[in-house]
Amino acid sequence: LPGQPLIQYGLASALLAGNDEEGARQAADLLETVTRVEPDHLGAWRLLAQAYGRAGRTAEADLALAEIAWRRQDRERFDFHHARAGQALKSAPPSSRA
């Protein structure tokens, strides 16, 4: 079924292979759903970080990477990505924080 996380993950992966910003945005939308339904799917978090990065959403990419580190209990990487995301969000103009 189209709404199944595995199908959405595969489609998102194919969209990211296209290496364009619109595909990255579409992939991010799909992967946000996948990570909500299957929060322990580290591959989905990794692809979500890539999708955010390609779409220019670097703070969100760092948050996705922090999520991976948290789930792996890698405190050092978690602290790094969490702090970087916080700095990016802190310095972002208010209109882009929505």
Side-chain angles (χ1 to χ4, degrees):
L1 299 172
Q4 293 297 315
L6 184 59
I7 300 296
Q8 291 178 323
Y9 177 80
L11 178 55
S13 181
L15 287 166
L16 284 173
N19 207 21
D20 65 286
E21 194 172 326
E22 180 57 32
R25 278 195 287 274
Q26 291 174 7
D29 289 343
L30 291 168
L31 291 162
E32 286 168 357
T33 301
V34 172
T35 55
R36 271 193 303 276
V37 174
E38 294 189 15
D40 293 329
H41 191 315
L42 298 184
W45 285 108
R46 172 74 56 202
L47 281 183
L48 182 56
Q50 290 176 2
Y52 282 152
R54 289 189 189 165
R57 298 168 61 183
T58 56
E60 291 96 332
D62 273 311
L63 287 174
L65 293 171
E67 184 70 33
I68 293 168
W70 178 261
R71 291 180 182 281
R72 288 185 174 163
Q73 299 179 347
D74 184 342
R75 181 62 186 240
E76 186 177 335
R77 282 190 178 195
F78 172 81
D79 288 343
F80 174 78
H81 289 293
H82 187 262
R84 210 163 83 163
Q87 287 292 52
L89 290 171
K90 192 178 190 180
S91 65
S95 62
S96 68
R97 292 186 209 156

